[in-house]
Amino acid sequence: MTARLKGRRREVARLLGRFADWAATDTAVEAVILVGSYARGAERMASDVDVVIVTSDPDRLARSDSFAPVLRGAAHLRDARWGPVRERRYRLPSGLQVEIDLAPREWLAVPLDAGTERVLRDGYRVVYDPNGRMDATGVGAR
């Protein structure tokens, strides 16, 4: 592993710590989950960070960008919708791209939707989950 990738991993670890701290201050946030290549330990320098925020109010979070301080000077790149999930993509000053997916609490409803199950079975890591929502899904972390 290169020194650059090690540095990128440290940057992502700090970012996830800030997400956990922020989530604990917002009562609408029910869970923060890392998915994608960083969750699987298969990241490369070109990989983005995929963060799912499970919330009781995704529209408010999308409008307010209350998580913006976590991103520390990131540039907003684009928004998209994937069914009930609202995606917001940012580029940090380091060049690292962060995809934030704002998912309604129903995204984790059991039985899981096929798309949700596919995302989670591909690998995830819990960043914040004070009520054990991820344990209730029956999908073990990888």
Side-chain angles (χ1 to χ4, degrees):
M1 174 185 323
T2 67
R4 285 185 65 213
L5 184 54
K6 285 181 184 178
R8 181 58 55 93
R9 281 183 170 178
R10 286 190 299 273
E11 178 183 14
V12 170
R14 288 189 300 271
L15 175 70
L16 296 176
R18 291 194 305 270
F19 265 113
D21 292 344
W22 162 80
T25 69
D26 192 319
T27 58
V29 177
E30 298 183 10
V32 178
I33 307 156
L34 177 68
V35 298
S37 62
Y38 274 94
R40 290 190 307 275
E43 68 277 4
R44 301 177 322 226
M45 278 304 292
S47 297
D48 67 346
V49 178
D50 302 291
V51 177
V52 178
I53 300 173
V54 180
T55 174
S56 60
D57 197 350
D59 292 332
R60 179 185 63 82
L61 288 183
R63 279 191 316 274
S64 70
D65 264 354
S66 66
F67 49 81
V70 171
L71 300 173
R72 297 191 175 165
H76 178 249
L77 300 177
R78 72 168 188 258
D79 293 339
R81 274 202 176 267
W82 307 102
V85 176
R86 296 179 69 149
E87 173 193 315
R88 296 186 58 91
R89 183 171 285 275
Y90 298 85
R91 181 183 298 111
L92 299 180
S94 68
L96 177 65
Q97 287 196 26
V98 181
E99 177 183 311
I100 298 174
D101 294 314
L102 301 168
R105 65 170 41 132
E106 295 79 24
W107 192 75
L108 289 179
V110 176
L112 294 174
D113 167 271
T116 301
E117 185 168 0
R118 186 173 46 255
V119 166
L120 296 177
R121 289 217 183 272
D122 194 33
Y124 71 88
R125 193 170 93 205
V126 174
V127 175
Y128 173 82
D129 184 15
N131 298 315
R133 294 284 317 264
M134 292 305 302
D135 293 337
T137 67
V139 178
R142 296 180 180 185

